[in-house]
Amino acid sequence: MLPETFHIPVLLTLGFVIVVGFYIGRNMKWFKMPALIGYMILGVLLGPSLFNLLPFALQDKLEFITNIALSFVAISIGLELNFSSLKKLGAGIIWIILLECVGAFVIVFGALYLLTGDLVLSLIFASIAPASAPAGTVAVIEEYKARGSLTKALYAVVGLDDGVGIIIFGFTASICRTLLMKEAGGGDLDMVLLLVEPLKEVILSFVVGGALGWLFSILARRMKNAGDVLLLLFGFVFMSAGLCEWLHLSVILTNMVVGSVIVNTQPRALVSKIFDRLPLIMPLLFLLFFTLGGANLQVSQLPALGILGIVYLLARSAGLIGGAYMGGVIGKVESKIKKYTGLGILAQAGVAIGLSLVIKNEFGELGAMVKGLDGEMIHHGALIGESVITTITATSVIFGIIGPILAKIALQKAGEITYDPYAKHNDDE
């Protein structure tokens, strides 16, 4: 571990992270794991737990990178929320998306509240539980060339449930912020305030996101060059992130609305210009984002969170699988979609880690003073932030491993995998 007095220029550190992260992420394919897992591992190695090249003080200075990355992730999600496409999915898929999100929230909350008795901590973990990571599922589908109704259902669910999850998170985080502020100030809890504050935050996030999306669309529709559109988008992302910080709004929900306004009101040509250029910048943002997320993982605290992590992992899996099944029953979808959709959507990484970073950054000075994981007295919000980022980062690695495996099993049981890339390769040889 580097001593605290040893200082390295920030740009040198970032350059080193990008170069090393690139090669680590690129070689994760040999372990059949997504690159983001490699980025998180790099973050753990460079974080305070080991070499301390990314100390907490530096992470605080680089918080703006997290906000920018989260904003682009949220816009990407919003661009997938095309209302006309949603109508074509049918009521069955909508029911699955809604109930798997609600199922994960309810079961994780109940299990963790029984375990810890901490209302706010349980609510925060429950609000993060619905978020999924479509990359692992999509990679399995493409690798094995899966085709069929379950495959289409998985594409729809993993592409859209993050939107529902973010709305759930927005409401819940605002409620928890109010609870922690009341906890620190003392006095009776005002139930009206508890409901009004979250509602105000979510409504303002929709209003600000809608206004920014509308203004961007007016300016961008006159542009013919895709590079100009991307440059304009950067400006609006920065403004959106700044407004959210200033007005205490959800950076994820606000930018998701921006993306949704664009895709539902603008010609396909404009949306295509954004889709064509976003992949050029997202790899860099993801590399820095997930490396910083991994650096937040405190290895020494993992034993203290062992039971919490196991309960979260099991409860989330049960909620997603059970909720997807119940949604299939209510929506009257075909049997294989009802039975196997839940198995294909367990992977969790990007958005979940982003939400946990939001909690760590925004809740650090909220709540009464309590004993932290290392025994020192800290704010209740800071304890929740430490617990969430450490647990979610660790369980994301586990979900990143078992998620694609279970997705493959689900597609095999549904009879939608007829292509074996390894067998074909052997035949060619």
Side-chain angles (χ1 to χ4, degrees):
M1 179 183 291
L2 292 174
E4 291 292 335
T5 55
F6 187 83
H7 296 290
I8 299 176
V10 175
L11 289 177
L12 177 59
T13 301
L14 288 178
F16 176 78
V17 166
I18 292 170
V19 172
V20 176
F22 168 75
Y23 284 104
I24 290 179
R26 189 178 185 181
N27 285 287
M28 289 306 291
K29 63 183 179 182
W30 299 111
F31 303 98
K32 301 188 182 300
M33 297 179 67
L36 62 91
I37 300 298
Y39 303 152
M40 287 193 289
I41 293 173
L42 175 63
V44 174
L45 293 174
L46 299 182
S49 296
L50 293 171
F51 295 113
N52 202 35
L53 191 63
L54 292 172
F56 288 124
L58 178 58
Q59 292 181 43
D60 290 339
K61 292 180 181 178
L62 298 177
E63 182 182 338
F64 72 94
I65 294 178
T66 298
N67 287 333
I68 292 171
L70 280 174
S71 297
F72 275 104
V73 168
I75 283 180
S76 299
I77 293 171
L79 290 170
E80 298 291 339
L81 300 179
N82 189 310
F83 296 149
S84 61
S85 298
L86 285 174
K87 291 179 181 178
K88 294 177 182 177
L89 292 175
I93 297 299
I94 303 300
W95 275 112
I96 289 175
I97 293 171
L98 291 175
L99 290 190
E100 53 103 351
C101 289
V102 172
F105 179 92
V106 170
I107 294 182
V108 168
F109 171 75
L112 293 188
Y113 188 68
L114 288 174
L115 176 68
T116 66
D118 189 325
L119 176 62
V120 178
L121 181 142
S122 302
L123 283 170
I124 290 298
F125 269 103
S127 69
I128 294 175
S132 64
T137 301
V138 172
V140 170
I141 291 172
E142 293 182 353
E143 181 179 1
Y144 291 92
K145 301 187 186 303
R147 297 290 183 271
S149 56
L150 176 62
T151 301
K152 292 180 180 179
L154 288 177
Y155 268 126
V157 173
V158 299
L160 297 172
D161 64 353
D162 279 344
V164 177
I166 288 171
I167 293 174
I168 292 174
F169 175 83
F171 273 102
T172 306
S174 186
I175 289 173
C176 289
R177 189 181 297 109
T178 304
L179 287 171
L180 288 173
M181 292 172 65
K182 199 65 180 178
E183 175 186 288
D188 296 328
L189 184 64
D190 188 341
M191 293 303 296
V192 174
L193 180 65
L194 186 64
L195 295 175
V196 169
E197 285 301 316
L199 190 61
K200 182 173 70 174
E201 179 180 324
V202 171
I203 291 175
L204 278 177
S205 295
F206 271 94
V207 170
V208 172
L212 289 174
W214 173 76
L215 182 58
F216 170 84
S217 299
I218 290 177
L219 298 175
R221 71 175 60 161
R222 302 174 182 274
M223 296 178 175
K224 297 181 179 180
N225 188 296
D228 293 341
V229 174
L230 182 64
L231 185 61
L232 185 67
L233 185 64
F234 257 97
F236 272 83
V237 165
F238 279 44
M239 287 194 297
S240 175
L243 284 170
C244 289
E245 181 179 354
W246 187 26
L247 301 174
H248 304 288
L249 305 179
S250 168
V251 67
I252 297 181
L253 183 58
T254 302
N255 283 285
M256 187 182 75
V257 173
V258 172
S260 182
V261 168
I262 295 170
V263 76
N264 285 289
T265 63
Q266 298 309 302
R268 188 176 186 85
L270 173 58
V271 178
S272 296
K273 289 176 183 175
I274 299 174
F275 273 123
D276 290 343
R277 290 303 176 104
L278 272 184
L280 299 178
I281 63 169
M282 294 304 282
L284 173 61
L285 293 174
F286 279 143
L287 190 157
L288 294 172
F289 174 75
F290 287 116
T291 301
L292 290 173
N296 276 275
L297 177 65
Q298 299 185 54
V299 176
S300 61
Q301 295 178 358
L302 285 176
L305 293 170
I307 297 177
L308 179 68
I310 292 171
V311 171
Y312 171 78
L313 194 150
L314 295 175
R316 178 177 179 269
S317 300
L320 290 175
I321 294 172
Y325 183 85
M326 289 302 299
V329 171
I330 296 174
K332 298 179 180 179
V333 299
E334 62 179 297
S335 178
K336 64 179 181 180
I337 296 178
K338 180 171 58 181
K339 290 165 61 176
Y340 299 126
T341 297
L343 288 177
I345 59 175
L346 293 183
Q348 185 174 46
V351 174
I353 293 173
L355 297 178
S356 62
L357 283 172
V358 169
I359 295 301
K360 179 179 181 295
N361 294 336
E362 294 187 2
F363 281 31
E365 298 182 358
L366 299 179
M369 299 301 292
V370 297
K371 185 178 292 187
L373 297 175
D374 56 4
E376 297 183 1
M377 298 302 291
I378 58 176
H379 287 282
H380 188 192
L383 172 61
I384 292 172
E386 290 180 2
S387 302
V388 167
I389 189 65
T390 302
T391 303
I392 295 299
T393 303
T395 55
S396 289
V397 175
I398 298 173
F399 278 122
I401 296 171
I402 65 174
I405 294 173
L406 292 175
K408 178 185 174 184
I409 291 173
L411 290 165
Q412 284 177 325
K413 288 184 174 294
E416 297 190 5
I417 290 181
T418 57
Y419 171 81
D420 186 340
Y422 302 106
K424 186 178 187 301
H425 177 71
N426 293 332
D427 291 339
D428 289 343
E429 291 182 336

